[in-house]
């Protein structure tokens, strides 16, 4: 099974989309990007996911993240399906979906990017795409990937939360603990010595005592 590993340059490609032909790297420019895939057009879970992603598009924009979706159907089908997604979201007439959808009718991209769900076939017996999330950094490297089966819808609030962590930890030498949200305390990673931590975190480092006596649970205010 081919796959893209964290830190790999995300493969570039040309594709037909609902806004015309794009070159992925040109489309992303020097911004962060999210590519999220869907099993098929006109499927219920996908419709709710694309609707939610559209509702949250301003949040992605605030974080400088360009959005692009993919589904294994043709552009004409995508354009018709988008009308359902807009209706599902109760948007006003004239509303346009705030991100393009890539067409992948031959499943070339799904195969190349390791996105096919082997357990899920469509009515014609063809494999469909799993629900992949790829977060791509401004350097075009893969920063995060999440892979859900077709039968489980994603949580786009969680995706925004991980983007907040990725963007923070891209520039600050910190790590974010379980369920972290922006503004919460962050953790001092194990590769930072006590001495270095004093310099790096002038707001202070607080340690939680543990039975092992090892001082590895170190918190500091979010820099
Ligand atoms: C859906 O989007 O609802 C869906 C797609 C493929 C398999 C199961 C559910």
């Amino acid at each position: 099974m081919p796959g893209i590993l964290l830190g790999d340059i995300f493969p570039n490609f040309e594709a037909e989309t609902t806004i015309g032909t794009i070159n992925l790297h040109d489309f992303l420019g020097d911004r962060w990007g999210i590519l999220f895939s869907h099993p098929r057009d006109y499927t219920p879970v996908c419709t709710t996911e694309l609707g939610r992603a559209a509702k949250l598009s301003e949040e992605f924009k605030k974080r400088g993240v360009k959005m692009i979706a993919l589904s294994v159907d043709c552009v004409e089908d995508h354009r018709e399906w988008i009308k359902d997604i807009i209706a599902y979201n109760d948007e006003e007439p004239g509303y346009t979906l705030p991100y393009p959808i890539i067409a992948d009718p031959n499943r070339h991209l799904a195969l190349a990017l390791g996105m096919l769900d082997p357990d899920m076939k469509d009515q014609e017996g063809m494999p469909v795409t799993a629900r992949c999330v790829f977060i791509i950094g401004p350097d075009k490297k893969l920063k995060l990937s999440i892979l859900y089966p077709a039968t489980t819808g994603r949580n786009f609030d969680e995706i925004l939360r991980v983007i907040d962590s990725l963007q923070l930890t891209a520039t600050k030498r910190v790590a974010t603990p379980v369920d972290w949200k922006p503004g919460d305390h962050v953790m001092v990673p194990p590769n930072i010595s006590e001495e270095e931590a004093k310099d790096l975190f002038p707001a202070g480092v607080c340690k939680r005592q543990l039975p092992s006596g090892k001082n590895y649970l170190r918190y500091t205010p979010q820099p």
Side-chain angles (χ1 to χ4, degrees), residues 37-86:
S37 66
H38 295 270
R40 290 229 56 173
D41 294 5
Y42 301 109
T43 50
V45 177
C46 297
T47 303
T48 61
E49 284 191 319
L50 286 181
R52 183 69 183 142
K55 288 274 185 205
L56 289 174
S57 65
E58 281 302 312
E59 292 297 322
F60 284 92
K61 196 169 169 188
K62 266 193 228 161
R63 292 159 174 84
V65 180
K66 288 201 83 174
M67 306 170 77
I68 189 160
L70 179 148
S71 173
V72 292
D73 282 293
C74 61
V75 167
E76 293 69 37
D77 284 345
H78 288 353
R79 291 211 174 107
E80 290 302 311
W81 180 36
I82 284 171
K83 293 178 189 166
D84 287 357
I85 297 161
I86 291 172

Side-chain angles (χ1 to χ4, degrees), residues 10-17 19-29 66 68 102 140:
F10 197 81
N12 195 16
F13 55 78
E14 291 225 329
E16 299 304 315
T17 80
I19 57 163
T21 306
I22 61 132
N23 169 293
L24 182 73
H25 284 194
D26 292 346
F27 172 78
L28 296 174
K66 288 201 83 174
I68 189 160
I102 297 171
K140 306 287 179 302

